[in-house]
Amino acid sequence: MKVLTITLNPTVDKSSEVANIKPEKKLRCAPPKYEPGGGGINVSRGLVRLGINSTALFTSGGRTGKLLEELLLKEKVDILPVNTQGETRENFTVVDTASNEQYRFGMPGEVVSNKEVNQIIETINSFSPFPEIVVISGSLPPEMDAAILRQIAAIAKQKNAKVVADTSGDALTAILEEGVYLLKPNLGELSRLTGIETLDNEVADQAAKKLIEEGKAQMIVVSMGPQGAYLVTADNCLHIPAPSVKKLSTVGAGDSMVSGMVSVLAKNGSPAQMACMGVACGTAATMNPGTGLFNVKDAERLYNWLIDKAVTIK
């Protein structure tokens, strides 16, 4: 199956290392590393590693936008940039090598004009042949109306595509007004969506099933960090435990999880296989330092361990 990922607020992730971060002191950092970033972009990067063909659609502006395009082409990602006047943002991550603590600085990005929003919609609507799976992931640029995600989801559904959503806040609320095929919230996002303030592992499956009954999604994979994930459908709930590994960084774990799930969807695998591959890729990403995604061999090894560990809850 062909996959289209959509990233409306992409970034170039810059990372470095320094010993003993202290205020008011000039810090001598290691040479910076530049990587493509942003939800859908990372999903496409992960899919390339897993041998799945995808196209990454994203906004691109200025010097940083050109760098982003170059970095993606080096990773053999099929790109479809929509040019904007505003400069593509940069994020910065630095690791204190003395403590192994990680400091992450996320920039907001620049405003996308109404004309540019219309160009995004037109580009998606005219994509041909239209993909079977559309992944909408990541944050929105400042001032962008979250209703654009509902519009994009509607276009995809009209063209018989399966919509996979991984976003948060107003963007998540807006896209669920249209409804999606697969949703990947964490416990905090699920709590916000359902209005259940004391949401925990014990009732997460019930909260997810409530959203399914309301037509918000057909399947929900609730990411629970060290506790693994719940796969919830209208009829079943599976718990997939998280393998115990040495964690070096959590950057990119969520996007890696989506990559793993979409790779199985694209191969018409079962929901259980999909969720296990998601947890495997997400966990594998935490084994790498900095802003790197998962190593395929790590993900495959963890998947083979997980596939027999999924437990039916209800």
Side-chain angles (χ1 to χ4, degrees):
M1 291 187 183
K2 179 71 174 178
V3 180
L4 174 67
T5 67
I6 297 173
T7 311
L8 300 180
N9 197 25
T11 177
V12 169
D13 288 327
K14 180 191 295 185
S15 61
S16 185
E17 296 179 343
V18 66
N20 296 311
I21 294 179
K22 294 181 180 179
E24 308 298 333
K25 179 182 177 183
K26 184 177 289 187
L27 303 173
R28 302 294 181 182
C29 298
K33 182 178 181 181
Y34 298 90
E35 294 176 293
I41 280 176
N42 282 336
V43 173
S44 276
R45 294 172 65 209
L47 288 172
V48 167
R49 300 182 185 198
L50 295 167
I52 301 298
N53 185 25
S54 76
T55 297
L57 184 150
F58 56 93
T59 54
S60 175
R63 174 189 58 83
T64 314
K66 292 300 180 186
L67 174 59
L68 176 60
E69 294 174 29
E70 292 170 4
L71 291 170
L72 285 168
L73 290 174
K74 285 182 180 178
E75 294 193 24
K76 303 187 185 309
V77 175
D78 181 20
I79 66 172
L80 184 57
V82 178
N83 293 327
T84 59
Q85 289 296 314
E87 183 90 11
T88 296
R89 67 190 177 120
E90 286 187 347
N91 287 339
F92 180 53
T93 300
V94 61
V95 174
D96 186 338
T97 56
S99 64
N100 205 36
E101 291 179 329
Q102 188 179 74
Y103 297 82
R104 299 165 63 179
F105 303 88
M107 308 302 171
E110 296 192 22
V111 174
V112 176
S113 69
N114 290 334
K115 181 179 179 181
E116 290 164 347
V117 168
N118 291 335
Q119 182 61 41
I120 293 167
I121 295 297
E122 183 180 335
T123 302
I124 294 169
N125 199 30
S126 61
F127 195 93
S128 181
F130 205 81
E132 290 90 345
I133 300 172
V134 174
V135 181
I136 303 171
S137 180
S139 63
L140 292 177
E143 300 182 24
M144 180 176 281
D145 188 348
I148 185 178
L149 296 187
R150 182 178 183 180
Q151 188 177 357
I152 292 171
I155 291 171
K157 290 171 68 176
Q158 289 167 6
K159 295 177 181 289
N160 298 315
K162 294 177 178 177
V163 178
V164 178
D166 181 22
T167 183
S168 60
D170 292 342
L172 183 56
T173 301
I175 198 170
L176 292 188
E177 290 177 4
E178 177 61 34
V180 300
Y181 179 77
L182 173 63
L183 174 66
K184 188 203 76 67
N186 58 32
L187 283 174
E189 291 159 352
L190 187 60
S191 174
R192 181 180 181 273
L193 289 170
T194 58
I196 304 174
E197 294 184 5
T198 56
L199 190 62
D200 57 24
N201 295 0
E202 296 298 321
V203 295
D205 60 320
Q206 300 170 33
K209 191 155 289 190
K210 180 175 181 287
L211 293 179
I212 292 173
E213 291 170 352
E214 294 172 352
K216 305 294 188 183
Q218 293 185 44
M219 288 194 297
I220 298 177
V221 175
V222 185
S223 174
M224 301 187 299
Q227 283 75 47
Y230 278 144
L231 163 65
V232 184
T233 67
D235 303 317
N236 296 297
C237 177
L238 290 179
H239 176 238
I240 298 91
S244 178
V245 300
K246 182 178 180 180
K247 295 182 179 179
L248 299 179
S249 171
T250 59
V251 178
D255 297 331
S256 292
M257 184 177 186
V258 176
S259 294
M261 293 193 295
V262 172
S263 73
V264 174
L265 279 180
K267 297 175 183 177
N268 292 310
S270 71
Q273 291 171 329
M274 175 200 73
C276 286
M277 192 61 179
V279 173
C281 289
T283 304
T286 69
M287 298 166 65
N288 293 327
T291 57
L293 298 178
F294 59 92
N295 179 285
V296 175
K297 289 185 178 180
D298 290 334
E300 290 174 345
R301 176 174 54 82
L302 293 173
Y303 172 80
N304 290 330
W305 182 85
L306 279 169
I307 196 61
D308 296 323
K309 302 293 189 298
V311 178
T312 302
I313 304 300
K314 297 173 185 177

